[in-house]
């Protein structure tokens, strides 16, 4: 995964506008990593997470999620990456796609503040490991630095 970081940096440079840049990055991630079946970026707006960019076989119904709800809400509240090996074992889980088996949600942190998150669903059980976490945390930081620094 880390070998994709130069391309992520390149896409950010090529796309000065945040919406286009985030769309380019989610499209890259989904097309280049086989176990990333649906990739989205949610941004915090008030007490909600609002879907900003996504790539996958189909749209999710969860375009706006209360920060009090879902694995997405949990990661935003904890300000920590949440990895779920078996989504059906989690009471908080908000189902989007019947195929999904595991999920990773990586907060986009600006200092102490969570301003959004990267959310990835996989059709493979326990698909996400240390490499995914480290890689995606770096991608999240690149996005924050490029598009959300104060
Ligand atoms: N499963 C997420 C909801 C978003 S979808 O995966 C696209 C959750 O539990 O918060």
């Amino acid at each position: 995964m880390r070998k994709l970081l130069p391309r992520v940096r390149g896409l950010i440079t090529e796309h000065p506008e945040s919406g286009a840049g985030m769309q380019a990055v989610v499209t890259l991630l989904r097309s280049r990593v086989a176990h990333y079946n649906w990739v989205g970026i949610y941004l915090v707006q008030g007490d909600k997470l609002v879907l900003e960019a996504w790539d996958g076989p189909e749209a999710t119904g969860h375009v706006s999620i209360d920060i009090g709800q879902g694995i997405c809400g949990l990661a935003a509240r904890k300000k920590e990456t949440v990895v779920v090996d078996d989504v059906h074992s989690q009471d908080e889980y908000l189902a989007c796609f019947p195929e999904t088996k595991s999920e990773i949600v990586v907060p986009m942190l600006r200092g102490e503040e969570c301003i959004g998150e990267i959310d990835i669903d996989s059709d493979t059980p326990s698909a996400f490991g240390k490499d995914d976490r480290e890689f995606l945390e770096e991608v999240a930081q690149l996005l924050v630095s490029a598009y959300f620094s104060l």
Side-chain angles (χ1 to χ4, degrees):
M1 263 82 70
R2 289 188 65 81
K3 67 182 189 305
L4 292 177
L5 283 171
R7 187 66 195 123
V8 171
R9 287 196 187 87
L11 287 174
I12 288 172
T13 306
E14 287 164 30
H15 295 88
E17 194 270 316
S18 62
M22 289 189 282
Q23 184 61 51
V25 170
V26 297
T27 301
L28 173 81
L29 296 181
R30 178 173 176 252
S31 67
R32 297 291 294 278
V33 186
H35 60 285
Y36 294 1
N37 294 104
W38 188 93
V39 181
I41 293 177
Y42 288 86
L43 295 181
V44 174
Q45 287 184 23
D47 58 359
K48 302 215 181 290
L49 291 154
V50 177
L51 188 62
E52 168 70 24
W54 65 275
D55 194 69
E58 45 183 323
T60 175
H62 294 294
V63 294
S64 174
I65 299 172
D66 284 345
I67 287 182
Q69 287 193 318
I71 310 295
C72 288
L74 183 65
R77 294 196 304 278
K78 289 176 78 171
K79 300 178 187 174
E80 281 173 14
T81 297
V82 176
V83 175
V84 178
D85 289 337
D86 171 11
V87 290
H88 298 296
S89 72
Q90 290 287 314
D91 293 342
E92 296 94 342
Y93 177 63
L94 295 174
C96 290
F97 313 109
E99 299 83 5
T100 301
K101 303 288 192 303
S102 58
E103 180 165 6
I104 187 169
V105 185
V106 178
M108 292 161 59
L109 300 174
R110 180 173 58 195
E112 296 290 299
E113 182 191 9
C114 175
I115 58 109
E117 58 194 28
I118 302 170
D119 174 26
I120 304 184
D121 287 5
S122 183
D123 299 351
T124 306
S126 305
F128 302 104
K130 184 167 172 276
D131 288 355
D132 298 282
R133 174 192 288 257
E134 288 176 0
F135 166 63
L136 293 167
E137 287 177 353
E138 195 148 349
V139 172
Q141 274 319 298
L142 289 172
L143 291 170
V144 172
S145 303
Y147 298 127
F148 301 99
S149 58
L150 292 174

